[in-house]
Amino acid sequence: MKIHPTAIISAEAEVASEVEIGPYAVIEGAVKIGAGCRILAHAIVTGDTTLGERNTVGSHAIVGGEPQDLSYRPDAGSRVVVGSDNVIREYCTIHRGSAPGSVTVLGDHNFLMAGAHLGHNCHVGHHCIIANNALLGGHVEVGDRVFIGGGSAFHQFVRVGELAITQGHSGFSCDVPPFTLAARINEVVGLNVVGLRRAGWTAPQRDELKRAYRLVYARGFNVRQALEQARQSEWGPEATRFFEFIGQAGKRGICAARASLRTSPPPAAHEAASS
């Protein structure tokens, strides 16, 4: 264990072996830090926060701070749970849950670049990259292997599906379906084909997802009509996850296709039935 003499560590904290804590870092409260973690200079880990193994918390980052929620009470007993092998760069903020007993979760093998913010009750999966100064409002859910562009912002309760990628300086108050490219304000502009290849998807898997994407975004159907059409065919597991995510969209719905990519009005009933 390598702890700088200027670091401040609470008597309640549980610090495992082989942990490095840098100058002027603060470990406050009943924090649990797993083996092999590095807490760099001036970082703060506070509250009921658990870090798994081999995480790096960059300088001036704050993990476990109080949520920015006017209804929050200090005795709420909410938490932050961080998995293993994450890199949390300088000036990142991860806030604990807002409601009593609730939790903010960061999975494994994620890379949060400088200044990224995870608001209260966010749930981020595994192998995600969240670029500089991206903002996730409260209760945002992010699937596995997502790339979030720098300076982009996500309204509270928004969901981002697995293997999606969002453009920098974009904004989202609607759900971003899995496997898509999203940009600007609530727009989907295509499929994340490069990401699918890198994830090991075969050509037939990609082709089927392209068909599913066109059904939702390029056939002129509304979401309900597209899902009804989808139920009339057999789909593989990846396309099924795409449709299931869309079917579970909340009140704000899913991001729409960019206007230049939309088709003419939906086909007539007899054409839809024969397609």
Side-chain angles (χ1 to χ4, degrees), residues 72-207:
Y72 172 74
R73 297 176 59 87
D75 60 355
S78 55
R79 302 180 293 136
V80 168
V81 175
V82 176
S84 298
D85 299 294
N86 296 287
V87 176
I88 301 166
R89 290 296 298 266
E90 53 272 20
Y91 294 101
C92 288
T93 50
I94 302 177
H95 289 172
R96 57 185 179 261
S98 179
S102 64
V103 61
T104 300
V105 177
L106 178 66
D108 303 327
H109 298 281
N110 297 294
F111 185 13
L112 276 58
M113 297 185 189
H117 172 69
L118 271 58
H120 61 85
N121 301 97
C122 284
H123 284 233
V124 176
H126 311 299
H127 298 280
C128 296
I129 298 175
I130 302 178
N132 303 66
N133 300 312
L135 165 62
L136 275 60
H139 300 272
V140 169
E141 297 181 14
V142 178
D144 295 341
R145 294 181 290 183
V146 168
F147 181 92
I148 291 176
S152 52
F154 295 78
H155 195 281
Q156 60 184 358
F157 293 101
V158 161
R159 298 179 303 147
V160 184
E162 61 179 299
L163 268 169
I165 182 170
T166 68
Q167 181 186 55
H169 295 285
S170 52
F172 301 95
S173 58
C174 298
D175 291 349
V176 179
F179 319 119
T180 60
L181 295 167
R184 298 186 182 182
I185 303 296
N186 292 327
E187 288 187 343
V188 162
V189 298
L191 284 173
N192 182 15
V193 177
V194 173
L196 297 177
R197 288 199 190 102
R198 290 176 177 172
W201 282 41
T202 65
Q205 287 174 318
R206 298 196 301 271
D207 289 342

